[in-house]
Amino acid sequence: MEVPKEADSSENLHDKSRPGKLLIDLTRDCLVSAVQYSNHTQRDDGHWCGELRANATISAEYVFLYQALELDLTNSRDPLCQWLLSQQQVDGSWSIAPDYPGDVSTTVEVYLALKILNISTNDPAMGRARAFILGAGGVSKIRVFTRVYLALFGLFSWDDVPELPAELIFMPSWSPINIYKFSSWARSTIVPLLILHHHRPVFPLPNGTSASNDYLDELWCGPKKNVPYAKSLYALSQTDGIALLFAVIDKILSYLNGLRSFFPRNRARRLCVEWILEHQDKSGDWAGIFPPMHFGLLALVLEGHKIEDDCVQRGLSAIERFAWQDGGGKKNPILCVPGVGFCADEHWYQ
């Protein structure tokens, strides 16, 4: 297919009297290029397959999942390290998106993943990452989600993570707060998190299992201590009434030990597990999104399912099926879903 002349030629760009013609030419060029690219990348059987890129946290969290379940990462170690290290920025950080400044939570997660994968803390890349983290305030500055990942290994106190009572699963759809007020991917993440927050598990790291593990002590700017995840109630009362309300509720839940000893808890846990299993796709995943897959598998194991069970095996197979490995290493997308295809040829744009 012959591509029309470039619409941004000097003749067209300086033709101020014909803005409509310029827009049409630019549009035609874009469409022709898109059609050419689509034809070029279509597989022999008629489908397309493209990489949906994610930042380094998803691949780091893949490492956390395998470490928590004590699964072998030997074959994936080198390609995972290759890709994670290739994403490090000049200042030693990892960012949430290309051309963004370094992010302390992302950098802490990748640092931990690389350490689990046996990259020495004396490695120059680890030294640069450590300097960035400490310069940003250390582990105490990480986001709530990263606190959860660290708490799973005893690297952060579960007391410094907001409460999520499993009884949330009881709330009807007409309630102001219920799981169906959240988007599909969010509720698929929240329901297994209810199970994780009930159990507050501590999984092993290469140095052992401990609720106060010292595996990341080099990333703290001072002695480890309780690190609040919200402003004080007084400060919130001066600025944000809604945040104050939720903070008060969280304080009450914390005082009541997250309702863990209340009689409806066992039924709430059963409903959560039933929900997780009912929403697992036949292909083993949960809507093709990584966080629900990660937390869903941990929740099922914590509730008594074995690694050999069909639901767990299908979930692990889905995670491996979604992984993307090429000359740049191995990485994990945040989601993997089928797209909508169309037939495109040189007449399509006319």
Side-chain angles (χ1 to χ4, degrees):
M1 176 172 54
E2 185 178 354
V3 181
K5 292 182 179 179
E6 298 245 347
D8 60 350
S9 65
S10 58
E11 178 182 352
N12 283 329
L13 286 173
H14 291 89
D15 187 359
K16 304 295 185 183
S17 64
R18 304 176 67 194
K21 177 63 163 57
L22 174 60
L23 180 59
I24 290 172
D25 287 347
L26 286 171
T27 303
R28 179 176 286 112
D29 280 1
C30 290
L31 292 173
V32 168
S33 296
V35 169
Q36 287 181 323
Y37 180 79
S38 297
N39 288 336
H40 176 71
T41 57
Q42 188 177 26
R43 302 296 176 90
D44 291 341
D45 62 358
H47 82 280
W48 285 267
C49 181
E51 175 189 359
L52 180 60
R53 296 180 181 177
N55 62 44
T57 59
I58 303 301
S59 293
E61 291 153 16
Y62 168 89
V63 175
F64 301 162
L65 174 64
Y66 272 60
Q67 177 65 30
L69 298 180
E70 300 185 67
L71 299 173
D72 187 16
L73 276 169
T74 302
N75 292 334
S76 296
R77 179 193 177 277
D78 289 345
L80 280 168
C81 290
Q82 178 187 357
W83 186 78
L84 287 170
L85 290 170
S86 73
Q87 301 304 299
Q88 188 176 31
Q89 304 195 125
V90 175
D91 64 357
S93 69
W94 282 263
S95 66
I96 62 171
D99 302 320
Y100 270 57
D103 176 72
V104 65
S105 298
T106 303
T107 305
V108 167
E109 289 191 30
V110 179
Y111 183 97
L112 173 58
L114 289 171
K115 193 170 181 180
I116 290 172
L117 291 170
N118 249 352
I119 299 295
S120 170
T121 55
N122 295 322
D123 187 282
M126 297 289 272
R128 292 194 301 273
R130 189 164 55 249
F132 173 85
I133 293 166
L134 294 174
V139 176
S140 64
K141 300 299 182 181
I142 59 176
R143 63 179 180 151
V144 170
F145 250 124
T146 303
R147 290 182 181 218
V148 172
Y149 290 120
L150 267 57
L152 289 170
F153 297 105
L155 300 169
F156 214 96
S157 172
W158 278 106
D159 291 334
D160 296 323
V161 177
E163 289 287 354
L164 273 177
E167 287 73 15
L168 179 62
I169 197 72
F170 292 145
M171 303 302 286
S173 59
W174 50 261
S175 172
I177 301 176
N178 70 84
I179 62 171
Y180 291 101
K181 289 290 185 181
F182 299 94
S183 63
S184 173
W185 79 267
R187 62 176 170 266
S188 296
T189 302
I190 289 170
V191 174
L193 272 176
L194 299 178
I195 296 295
L196 267 64
H197 277 68
H198 166 78
H199 288 280
R200 291 186 164 193
V202 175
F203 295 110
L205 282 168
N207 69 336
T209 306
S210 171
S212 56
N213 203 308
D214 62 0
Y215 198 63
L216 284 187
D217 274 10
E218 69 268 22
L219 300 185
W220 288 84
C221 287
K224 290 203 283 188
K225 56 182 181 181
N226 291 342
V227 184
Y229 47 82
K231 297 178 181 178
S232 68
L233 296 182
Y234 175 78
L236 290 174
S237 70
Q238 305 299 307
T239 59
D240 193 333
I242 294 178
L244 173 64
L245 173 62
F246 280 96
V248 170
I249 294 172
D250 185 69
K251 292 284 187 184
I252 295 171
L253 287 170
S254 181
Y255 178 77
L256 296 173
N257 191 31
L259 305 180
R260 288 174 184 82
S261 58
F262 279 47
F263 71 91
R265 177 52 59 95
N266 287 340
R267 181 167 179 267
R269 289 164 55 194
R270 286 196 299 271
L271 287 178
C272 287
V273 173
E274 288 173 9
W275 193 97
I276 293 168
L277 292 173
E278 287 172 1
H279 288 80
Q280 185 179 28
D281 294 335
K282 291 182 179 179
S283 54
D285 56 285
W286 283 267
I289 305 172
F290 186 85
M293 297 163 69
H294 182 169
F295 294 134
L297 288 170
L298 290 182
L300 291 175
V301 170
L302 288 169
E303 285 295 313
H305 284 274
K306 306 297 183 185
I307 295 294
E308 298 78 19
D309 288 354
D310 179 68
C311 57
V312 177
Q313 283 296 308
R314 286 189 294 118
L316 291 171
S317 296
I319 286 177
E320 286 302 327
R321 188 170 65 251
F322 293 169
W324 189 282
Q325 186 165 345
D326 54 25
K330 183 175 182 177
K331 52 209 160 183
N332 295 78
I334 192 168
L335 61 91
C336 182
V337 294
V340 178
F342 57 87
C343 181
D345 61 27
E346 64 267 28
H347 304 296
W348 173 72
Y349 63 85
Q350 294 180 352

